[in-house]
Amino acid sequence: MRTNDPSPGQASAAPALFHSRGPISAALLGMLPHPLEQADGLAVLAQHVDAAIAATPDILHDDDLQLSLFVLYGLNYGSVVAADDDWEWNPGLIAIRGAIERAFEAALRERVPAVPLPPANREAVAEALFELTKPSTGPSLSKYVARQATDEQLHELVIQRSVYTLKEADPHSWGIPRLYGRAKAAMMEIQADEYGGGNATRMHSAIYAGLMRLLGLDDRYGAYVNQVPAITLTSLNMSSMFGLNRRLRGAVCGHLAAFEMTSAIPSRYYGNGFRRLGYGEDVTWYYDEHVEADSVHEQIAGRDLAGSLAEDEPQLLPDILFGANACLTIDGWAGDHILASWEAGRSSLRVPLAPAERVSA
Amino acid sequence: MDAPGHEVPPLHPLIVACTDGPLLVRGDVELVAADGEPIERTRKVVALCRCGASTIKPYCDGTHKLTGFTTGPEH
Ligand code: FES
Ligand SMILES: [Fe+2]
Ligand SMILES: [Fe+2]
């Protein structure tokens, strides 16, 4: 059996298996470590998946279905779950993934508020995206972090964000070969910077892993998946779905644009939170880097990526705006969950961190 | 060989005046301080602040979005 082990130099996967969150994720996690030959049971699982989709009151907050989707995408990413590599393109699993994705996308299209469409030209699209993403004057997670988060809450924030950030940029990179011309070049210009401009130690995911180690946290991918609520998985699953489906290339570009446009100012606030508690530049490097980098990326993403795509493939304009607002909506919910938990004096984690899970620095 | 209608060869310096935002600088441009010392540059494309409010000058940090900076119709 070949295994989905990380190659040397990659962040390694945590050894512990994820805890299942219901029958679907339990069946998948039980099946994947075994060789593909043991794929009986997939037909039954597919029926259970259909039933779970029909029964869920809200797939966007469904722990079992979102963890299942996360595990299935993990077969494409690698270093997420211990699995026989041959499962990646198993038609039965692809069909199950497709069923969950259809329900997931339908829920997103229903719940993400529609945005008025600008004319399909670069400047108008950039302007509309900057307007949609403009900083709010109200309370926000990043302002809370800057002003009053405790050391423990900062650790929690880093844990919550690690589910995406240890794979930073990867979901959108699935979109690169699905674009052409100016939009592809723009995506590459941004992603090259995300991946450190050819310097592995400057890769944003690597800088983040370093931040985790400095805070005494486990930087192996997936180490804290058991701790995070469904909405944190939903956030990553959404961009994975946008990136992995060519049909949704408009959404992945809109998503990236909104992500970049809402990063620089919050990153400064996050950095301020760490500085307030006495942490140095080694710890704030990740946030400082994003203050500068994303002030560049947001300009490229607005005009050269989303704007060019809208000019070159105007039929994608609605999905560009949909992807952008989906990012703001879902990531907004994920942030609101953390903020509301803290304001109520609770942890935002699903399972509190056992002392042993905080390794010493 | 230049392709017909090709606007800007790669690496040629190109500065984009972004509406209501920074100057986006691409290509082979040397950035130096007033005393001629090179300014640290860690990425291929940089955004230079033109609103005056950035905390990481000469680079843009997005603050122009908080101050309502506008470049007007002339850029
Ligand atoms: S132009 Fe962006 S902060 Fe000044
Ligand atoms: Fe980044
Ligand atoms: Fe970025």
Side-chain angles (χ1 to χ4, degrees):
Chain A
M1 168 176 126
R2 285 166 299 139
T3 57
N4 200 338
D5 278 342
S7 12
Q10 271 192 335
S12 52
L17 275 180
F18 305 144
H19 302 157
S20 61
R21 303 191 188 183
I24 313 292
S25 52
L28 280 175
L29 289 167
M31 193 182 289
L32 293 178
H34 300 291
L36 189 57
E37 293 71 53
Q38 298 176 17
D40 25 317
L42 266 183
V44 178
L45 180 58
Q47 286 171 8
H48 288 164
V49 168
D50 289 342
I53 289 169
T56 183
D58 179 5
I59 192 172
L60 303 180
H61 289 90
D62 189 304
D63 271 300
D64 194 27
L65 288 171
Q66 291 297 340
L67 179 63
S68 298
L69 198 50
F70 173 83
V71 165
L72 290 172
Y73 288 139
L75 297 173
N76 298 124
Y77 284 113
S79 40
V80 175
V81 280
D84 185 337
D85 273 349
D86 290 334
W87 283 107
E88 183 181 0
W89 296 107
N90 176 270
L93 276 191
I94 298 286
I96 286 171
R97 189 181 99 185
I100 303 175
E101 284 180 329
R102 275 189 296 280
F104 184 22
E105 186 188 341
L108 287 171
R109 293 204 183 264
E110 192 187 312
R111 302 276 293 281
V112 172
V115 184
L117 296 185
N121 70 67
R122 282 160 53 97
E123 215 31 52
V125 169
E127 192 189 331
L129 289 169
F130 276 119
E131 175 64 26
L132 183 66
T133 57
K134 69 172 184 247
S136 84
T137 49
S140 70
L141 179 61
S142 57
K143 287 176 201 159
Y144 185 100
V145 167
R147 288 180 198 140
Q148 52 179 308
T150 64
D151 192 45
E152 197 169 343
Q153 288 169 337
L154 293 183
H155 281 76
E156 242 183 75
L157 176 77
V158 171
I159 285 170
Q160 291 270 13
R161 295 288 160 88
S162 69
V163 174
Y164 165 63
T165 306
L166 288 175
K167 295 207 168 297
E168 185 159 340
D170 288 349
H172 303 99
S173 294
W174 297 119
I176 295 168
R178 297 171 166 95
L179 301 170
Y180 68 89
R182 298 182 294 174
K184 174 182 265 177
M187 172 86 87
M188 278 306 301
E189 200 170 45
I190 296 170
Q191 299 303 79
D193 213 20
E194 301 290 345
Y195 293 126
N199 179 342
T201 59
R202 293 195 61 92
M203 275 178 44
H204 289 177
S205 55
I207 301 176
Y208 200 79
L211 161 62
M212 294 188 79
R213 291 191 298 273
L214 286 167
L215 294 180
L217 294 168
D218 190 340
D219 68 337
R220 287 170 301 177
Y221 191 78
Y224 298 106
V225 161
N226 290 332
Q227 269 79 25
V228 302
I231 191 68
T232 301
L233 302 177
T234 305
S235 167
L236 175 59
N237 286 341
M238 176 172 66
S239 48
S240 300
M241 176 170 72
F242 291 166
L244 280 164
N245 289 276
R246 178 177 178 278
R247 187 175 55 80
L248 297 174
R249 62 197 181 283
V252 82
C253 292
H255 185 284
L256 180 57
F259 198 93
E260 299 292 353
M261 289 176 177
T262 50
S263 170
I265 294 170
S267 291
R268 177 148 56 90
Y269 294 159
Y270 292 136
N272 287 347
F274 283 93
R275 281 183 280 272
R276 178 174 52 77
L277 291 182
Y279 288 105
E281 281 184 0
D282 49 350
V283 164
T284 61
W285 181 20
Y286 177 81
Y287 301 102
D288 299 340
E289 163 70 6
H290 282 84
V291 171
E292 186 186 314
D294 289 343
S295 295
V296 177
H297 298 171
E298 66 180 0
Q299 300 295 341
I300 301 172
R303 278 177 205 85
D304 305 300
L305 176 65
S308 299
L309 184 65
E311 285 186 359
D312 295 343
E313 299 196 73
Q315 81 283 6
L316 297 178
L317 181 64
D319 266 9
I320 293 172
L321 277 295
F322 161 67
N325 216 21
C327 173
L328 300 179
T329 304
I330 299 299
D331 290 7
W333 290 349
D336 289 349
H337 163 78
I338 298 173
L339 185 57
S341 303
W342 291 353
E343 282 178 334
R346 288 191 308 265
S347 163
S348 71
L349 299 176
R350 186 172 165 267
V351 184
L353 219 48
E357 285 171 304
R358 239 169 94 171
V359 299
S360 58
Chain B
M1 183 185 102
D2 259 355
H6 191 73
E7 298 133 70
V8 186
L11 291 186
H12 232 238
L14 175 71
I15 299 179
V16 180
C18 300
T19 312
D20 302 341
L23 301 170
L24 210 57
V25 181
R26 286 189 175 89
D28 226 347
V29 177
E30 242 181 299
L31 282 179
V32 296
D35 60 4
E37 280 298 304
I39 291 168
E40 194 193 10
R41 176 172 175 178
T42 57
R43 66 196 74 256
K44 271 176 87 173
V45 188
V46 293
L48 297 180
C49 173
R50 63 167 165 162
C51 77
S54 173
T55 60
I56 56 164
K57 290 191 201 71
Y59 298 125
C60 163
D61 69 355
T63 302
H64 61 267
K65 298 198 274 188
L66 297 173
T67 59
F69 172 68
T70 56
T71 46
E74 311 290 305
H75 298 294

